[in-house]
Amino acid sequence: MVQTVDYLAIAPPLILALFGLAALFVRYAGFVGLILAGAFEVVLLFSAPRRTFCVDSSCSFVVDDFTLLFQTVTLIAGLVVLLTAHVEIRDTRLPAGEFHFLTLAAMAGALTLAAGRDLVTLLVSLEVVSLPLFALVALRRYDGRSSEAGVKMFLVSVVSTAVMLFGISLVYGATGSLFLDRIGAVLATPSPLESVAGVGVVLVLVGFGFKVSAVPFHFWAPDTYQGSPVAVAAFLSVISKAAGFAGLALVLSIAFGPLASVWGPLVAVLAAVSMTVGNLVALRQKTAMRLLAWSSIAQAGYMLAPLGAAGGGAPLDGLVAATIGYVAIYALMNIGVFAVISVVGWIGEHGGGTLDSYRGLARTHPLTAVALAFFLACLAGLPPGLAGLFAKIVVFQGTILGGYGWLAVIMAVNTVIGLFYYLSWATRLFAPLPEGAAFDRIARPVGAAIGVAAAGTVLMSVAPQLVLGISLGG
């Protein structure tokens, strides 16, 4: 059977793959590829939905509102990553060509994952995201911590992939299909193999738990963030996590929806434990990078909470929309924090500097300090960080409507805990500048990265409906 290929549908990831190769030889090819892929996203916005690689009525690659949202957020975050990496590449002699190639390769996997509608496409895309990251994490060859972080991430990823692959094999054996819509249709009817499918669903969920660094599958994240270049840590915290949640939302809503009573309570427990452990440990952190690592784990809990509420029988569309919106807003505000970290400095014993290293930033770089305070307010869910506030309200609403009031209470308590360390960091920005302290001049690419992240977050604060109302079209 010969299939037709819709090249417009696959243009964004294809362009990133091609320009990633070109970046090995041509300076700035990576930036050109991102801009060109973004232009095709605009074209797709007016021509979606599009489907390709189809068998009968089931397709492996679908471009709909869900796909466009995640691909757009990925491209914006990727642009910030490349801009943020400029100074570190220059000052630490990181190989620029290899860095841009690996970054665009991982982004191509993330864009493909958001459009995947069968288990094989999702698994392969997820590995295309992960494999370049092993090399990116360990790219500072002179730093032993970087190599250790790369090895640790590699070992954890291999285990998670093996677990997920075993789960996929059980689901395939029980349903006879790899297409998400067909799996959902089979699971919606009684079957003697339903228990086998249930085990497979749990194993797939465990595999994604590693990818999104949910507790208890989180132990690789803090050391990996600490040992990575700042831009790579930003990629891990934003693009890699968003890709993991995109895949998780797809499989749980389209394929495993009929078994929500099986995976819903498990996801709810993962959400509660992740946000609690992440926030409590973040309270004790003295360095910016480790604080963001544990904060990222806690934020994963908030993202999982609406999905967990599906176990109460609430409609999946609204719950998935809450998670999707939260992930998109989180990506923009969190990538901005990492951009500011590159201003304060990453060289030395502590990646990203200690929190006290940020004292007095407003005295010398007022706009940068205001931007960081704004990003932190968004992460905490406080005005003027309206984007984060709206995202948390939607998540709370979804959890309560799902009948999981106990989870909403845990979220509320954890939100208060998070306020402490976010505000503690923000207040340091406006403290008197310590004697003898100084901050480097902001390089233009880094300033542009902060501006892009700030503009995106402000847009989400003014018009959150751009992302909070989007659901899966199947």
Side-chain angles (χ1 to χ4, degrees):
M1 181 176 63
V2 177
Q3 293 181 331
T4 59
V5 179
D6 185 346
Y7 285 101
L8 177 58
I10 66 172
L14 183 61
I15 288 170
L16 290 188
L18 294 175
F19 276 84
L21 290 172
L24 288 170
F25 312 101
V26 181
R27 191 177 184 183
Y28 301 126
F31 289 99
V32 175
L34 285 177
I35 294 172
L36 190 57
F40 273 93
E41 291 291 342
V42 175
V43 175
L44 287 169
L45 181 63
F46 296 98
S47 61
R50 304 182 74 94
R51 299 167 178 265
T52 189
F53 304 119
C54 298
V55 177
D56 296 329
S57 60
S58 299
C59 299
S60 295
F61 196 100
V62 176
V63 177
D64 53 15
D65 289 345
F66 170 89
T67 305
L68 291 173
L69 172 61
F70 269 101
Q71 289 187 345
T72 301
V73 169
T74 298
L75 290 173
I76 293 172
L79 176 62
V80 174
V81 167
L82 291 187
L83 290 170
T84 301
H86 175 81
V87 174
E88 197 165 1
I89 289 174
R90 180 194 65 195
D91 293 348
T92 65
R93 299 185 302 279
L94 286 177
E98 287 88 335
F99 184 92
H100 286 191
F101 163 69
L102 292 169
T103 301
L104 264 66
M107 289 180 60
L111 266 58
T112 304
L113 190 147
R117 295 299 185 272
D118 71 69
L119 291 178
V120 170
T121 300
L122 292 177
L123 178 66
V124 172
S125 300
L126 201 57
E127 291 311 298
V128 173
V129 176
S130 299
L131 289 174
L133 286 176
F134 305 149
L136 282 170
V137 169
L139 202 57
R140 286 195 307 215
R141 302 184 182 95
Y142 61 87
D143 189 345
R145 293 178 306 169
S146 186
S147 300
E148 179 185 349
V151 171
K152 182 175 293 187
M153 184 184 176
F154 169 75
L155 294 175
V156 171
S157 183
V158 167
V159 172
S160 68
T161 301
V163 172
M164 186 184 300
L165 191 57
F166 184 44
I168 289 174
S169 68
L170 291 179
V171 172
Y172 176 70
T175 63
S177 180
L178 292 170
F179 287 105
L180 301 184
D181 55 351
R182 295 185 183 182
I183 292 172
V186 172
L187 293 180
T189 59
S191 169
L193 296 177
E194 185 174 334
S195 59
V196 176
V199 173
V201 168
V202 172
L203 291 177
V204 171
L205 178 60
V206 169
F208 274 109
F210 280 101
K211 301 297 184 182
V212 303
S213 62
V215 176
F217 315 112
H218 67 290
F219 47 84
W220 62 272
D223 289 341
T224 301
Y225 281 43
Q226 183 78 19
S228 303
V230 172
V232 177
F235 194 109
L236 286 169
S237 181
V238 174
I239 300 177
S240 179
K241 185 180 289 290
F245 271 101
L248 186 62
L250 286 167
V251 297
L252 292 184
S253 59
I254 300 177
F256 302 155
L259 296 183
S261 59
V262 175
W263 55 259
L266 179 57
V267 172
V269 172
L270 290 178
V273 175
S274 296
M275 65 179 78
T276 302
V277 172
N279 279 319
L280 289 177
V281 179
L283 284 173
R284 304 176 55 215
Q285 302 307 309
K286 303 299 182 184
T287 64
M289 195 66 75
R290 293 191 75 87
L291 185 149
L292 287 174
W294 286 104
S295 166
S296 176
I297 293 167
Q299 295 287 347
Y302 299 126
M303 299 171 196
L304 287 170
L307 297 176
L316 263 173
D317 285 348
L319 301 178
V320 171
T323 293
I324 291 171
Y326 196 102
V327 172
I329 291 175
Y330 162 83
L332 293 173
M333 56 194 182
N334 206 51
I335 199 75
V337 177
F338 280 96
V340 175
I341 283 181
S342 65
V343 173
V344 176
W346 38 261
I347 301 175
E349 182 182 355
H350 303 293
T354 64
L355 296 182
D356 285 334
S357 301
Y358 294 78
R359 287 188 179 276
L361 180 64
R363 309 290 175 170
T364 57
H365 298 80
L367 292 179
T368 302
V370 169
L372 178 55
F374 176 61
F375 295 136
L376 293 174
C378 286
L379 288 170
L382 281 179
L386 296 179
L389 177 62
F390 292 143
K392 278 192 167 58
I393 289 174
V394 171
V395 168
F396 272 102
Q397 182 182 35
T399 305
I400 293 173
L401 290 177
Y404 276 47
W406 63 270
L407 183 56
V409 171
I410 293 176
M411 289 174 59
V413 172
N414 276 281
T415 299
V416 174
I417 296 174
L419 289 177
F420 180 82
Y421 60 81
Y422 287 130
L423 292 181
S424 175
W425 188 356
T427 55
R428 286 175 166 88
L429 304 176
F430 303 96
L433 188 67
E435 185 177 352
F439 297 101
D440 293 337
R441 181 176 177 273
I442 300 177
R444 289 182 179 177
V446 176
I450 298 171
V452 170
T457 307
V458 169
L459 178 62
M460 292 301 98
S461 297
V462 175
Q465 68 274 13
L466 293 175
V467 298
L468 293 180
I470 292 179
S471 60
L472 279 166

